[in-house]
Amino acid sequence: MTSNAMVNLQQPSAAAVAAVHEPSQYLTFTLGAEMFAIGILHIKEIIEYGQLTAVPMMPGFIRGVINLRGAVVPVIDLASRFGGTPSHITRRTCIVIVELQLGDGETRVLGVVVDAVSAVLDIASSDIEPAPAFGTRIRTDFIAGMAKVNSRFVILLDVDRVLSMDEMAALSGGIESSIGSAPAALLGS
C-alpha cells in the first residue's frame, strides 16, 4: 500500500501536470497609472535600478545593458516599448529580470524597467477575462488576459509576445543591419 502511494506521488495526473505549468501566481507592477502582471514562472529576480551601459544606435525602448553576475543583459523600458514616453526613474523604479523560453530549447534573459513592483498575487483562471478588442494603450496581442483584483483591472502580459526579439527588431527598422553584429548579439537577433 505504501509503494502504491509512492507511485501515485511520483506520477501525478495529467491535470496536475498542466496546473503546474499554468501560472496562477503573477508579479504585479505599475507603469504610469496602469497595473500590469507577468506570470511568476517567467520572473528570475527583481533588482534595484542601477547603472546601465548605453549601447549606440539601439531603439528608444532599449535602455542599455547591465552586468548581471558576469552576463550581459539587455534592459527594455516597457513604457517606451508600449509606445509611451520612457519611464521616469525614481527610487521605486526596478528592473525585473525575466527569463524567456525560446522555441529551440534555449533561454534568454532580459531586464524590464517598471515604475514600481507591487506584489505577487494568486489569480485564479476563473478570474481572468480574455483580452479586450479595444480600450487599452497596448496592442491586444500582448495581453494574455485581464484580471479583476480589488475592484481594479490588472493587465496580464504575454511576456513572450511583449519581449519578442523578432518583433522588437522589426519595430526598430532592422536593428541588425544598422548596428553591426556585436550589438545585435545583445538583442539575440
Side-chain angles (χ1 to χ4, degrees):
M1 187 157 156
T2 306
S3 64
N4 286 342
M6 291 293 283
V7 170
N8 289 338
L9 289 175
Q10 292 175 351
Q11 297 176 358
S13 69
V17 170
V20 169
H21 294 292
E22 184 179 321
S24 60
Q25 288 190 318
Y26 294 85
L27 175 72
T28 59
F29 56 88
T30 57
L31 288 175
E34 300 294 328
M35 179 77 69
F36 294 89
I38 295 175
I40 198 76
L41 296 177
H42 288 287
I43 308 299
K44 191 168 180 175
E45 63 185 288
I46 302 165
I47 60 175
E48 183 178 348
Y49 188 90
Q51 186 64 35
L52 273 75
T53 302
V55 179
M57 299 178 69
M58 287 287 127
F61 57 82
I62 299 179
R63 284 273 177 139
V65 296
I66 58 171
N67 179 347
L68 186 65
R69 291 181 289 287
V72 176
V73 176
V75 177
I76 311 298
D77 186 327
L78 274 185
S80 183
R81 170 76 172 108
F82 293 154
T85 58
S87 294
H88 178 70
I89 305 304
T90 68
R91 62 182 182 86
R92 296 193 66 204
T93 303
C94 299
I95 299 174
V96 177
I97 305 299
V98 178
E99 189 172 68
L100 303 174
Q101 297 297 323
L102 305 178
D104 56 3
E106 290 184 47
T107 59
R108 176 163 294 130
V109 177
L110 298 169
V112 293
V113 176
V114 301
D115 291 342
V117 170
S118 299
V120 173
L121 299 178
D122 287 315
I123 301 175
S125 59
S126 61
D127 293 335
I128 299 173
E129 297 292 326
F134 60 92
T136 63
R137 293 186 203 162
I138 61 174
R139 293 183 357 212
T140 57
D141 60 330
F142 287 173
I143 301 174
M146 303 286 289
K148 191 161 188 177
V149 177
N150 298 329
S151 303
R152 182 175 179 186
F153 278 112
V154 176
I155 300 170
L156 307 179
L157 296 176
D158 181 342
V159 72
D160 293 318
R161 295 292 306 253
V162 171
L163 300 176
S164 164
M165 286 300 162
D166 294 335
E167 185 167 329
M168 285 194 279
L171 285 174
S172 67
I175 295 171
E176 197 168 313
S177 63
S178 66
I179 60 175
S181 61
L186 296 174
L187 292 175
S189 296

